[in-house]
Amino acid sequence: MPTPLTSDAVVLRTINYSDTSLIIRLFTEQFGKVTVIAKGARRPKQGIAGILQPPNHITVWYSYKAGRDIQTLTKSEFVERYAGLGNHLAKSAAALVAVEMLDRAVHDSDPHPILFRLITSTLHYLDQVEEDIATILHFYQLHLAKQLGFGPQLTSCGQCGQPMKKATLDNRTGLLLCPRCQPGEGITLGIKALEHLHDLAKTHISTVTGLKPDSKTSKEAGDFLLNHLYYHVDGMSNLQSIKFWRQVKT
Ligand SMILES: [Zn+2]
């Protein structure tokens, strides 16, 4: 017998299926990542295809059967409408990077309430702010890494343990190393970027917009975070949304 379940969820990915249906990957608050089918969702009369798109924050009702890979969606409605994302290229690109990273990072049926709060608050602030979009995305990426168990060591060299004023991401170990231990080329963070990442690690998302890094600092932090996540998280490479983000980020 199928069990009726409900949860808040963020839409991670949606693909068309058959002539009228959608298959939707969700990160649910209660049950982790779940894939559902919305039969007939693309029929104009149903009017729900727009709800079932990334990065929407919705409530879903679905019929769950153990052993089935795809569950059957029965109902969905908005929790929060991100009206500010739809018409703003940089905001929507950042939001799509955030949900695609989450999709790559989490496993099926493995709930993670802190990550759920992180993604929904990130989407909320991306929707609300007018600037600092990259800083909000970087906050998200740093805390995503931390929650996955890969928070970067920002203050002391990963090899010799000395305090760092400059650091390079070592592509053999994925650690940040001082210039003495890693004199070669690579993704490098100056003192301002190291301090900025440290601030991002300590602050609450509601105060992120006060940090105001200069563009060089922001770029160094962004390049590092992306490569750090690529290195440490299985399946986190060649994100589709990154190209779009690079084209439109402000
Ligand atoms: Zn060192």
Side-chain angles (χ1 to χ4, degrees):
M1 274 291 283
T3 313
L5 296 177
T6 184
S7 178
D8 280 12
V10 169
V11 180
L12 300 175
R13 186 154 188 239
T14 297
I15 54 169
N16 289 342
Y17 181 77
S18 75
D19 285 342
T20 58
S21 299
L22 289 173
I23 289 178
I24 307 114
R25 203 140 68 223
L26 302 162
F27 184 54
T28 70
E29 184 174 25
Q30 304 289 325
F31 311 106
K33 190 155 76 172
V34 173
T35 303
V36 297
I37 182 164
K39 290 175 185 157
R42 282 154 58 222
R43 288 201 182 99
K45 219 169 55 178
Q46 284 226 17
I48 57 166
I51 300 177
L52 301 170
Q53 300 296 328
N56 289 346
H57 181 190
I58 62 179
T59 306
V60 292
W61 289 260
Y62 63 97
S63 162
Y64 170 82
K65 238 186 197 171
R68 202 162 56 176
D69 288 339
I70 301 181
Q71 310 299 337
T72 306
L73 188 79
T74 49
K75 189 181 161 194
S76 57
E77 60 186 41
F78 278 108
V79 173
E80 183 176 359
R81 280 175 189 267
Y82 300 125
L85 292 181
N87 304 319
H88 192 296
L89 284 179
K91 288 185 183 195
S92 55
L96 292 175
V97 170
V99 294
E100 191 181 6
M101 284 189 151
L102 189 62
D103 189 20
R104 302 288 185 95
V106 294
H107 302 289
D108 287 351
S109 310
D110 183 14
H112 198 312
I114 297 174
L115 278 184
F116 190 80
R117 279 207 300 280
L118 177 64
I119 187 69
T120 51
S121 56
T122 298
L123 295 170
H124 172 81
Y125 282 99
L126 284 174
D127 180 54
Q128 297 292 312
V129 299
E130 288 309 316
E131 46 190 8
D132 308 299
I133 296 159
T135 310
I136 292 171
L137 182 62
H138 297 161
F139 172 92
Y140 167 80
Q141 291 170 332
L142 182 64
H143 288 268
L144 176 66
K146 267 174 86 170
Q147 288 303 322
L148 296 170
F150 303 111
Q153 171 57 260
L154 299 164
T155 49
S156 54
C157 171
Q159 192 162 306
C160 71
Q162 292 294 308
M164 295 186 293
K165 289 200 168 72
K166 186 181 171 193
T168 299
L169 180 63
D170 182 60
N171 57 21
R172 293 161 300 149
T173 59
L175 297 170
L176 281 171
L177 303 183
C178 74
R180 203 181 299 176
C181 296
Q182 168 47 286
E185 301 271 302
I187 301 285
T188 297
L189 295 167
I191 183 73
K192 280 167 93 175
L194 284 167
E195 284 171 359
H196 176 55
L197 288 165
H198 194 61
D199 289 343
L200 284 176
K202 285 184 308 182
T203 196
H204 185 264
I205 192 166
S206 61
T207 59
V208 156
T209 53
L211 295 176
K212 307 279 183 215
D214 60 49
S215 59
K216 179 170 181 277
T217 302
S218 180
K219 185 182 182 310
E220 283 182 13
D223 288 348
F224 163 72
L225 285 164
L226 187 61
N227 283 280
H228 178 80
L229 283 158
Y230 277 5
Y231 184 93
H232 290 282
V233 182
D234 283 345
M236 185 84 73
S237 59
N238 301 317
L239 298 178
Q240 304 281 313
S241 51
I242 280 291
K243 215 172 149 190
F244 176 37
W245 165 242
R246 286 196 174 123
Q247 283 167 355
V248 299
K249 70 178 170 181
T250 49

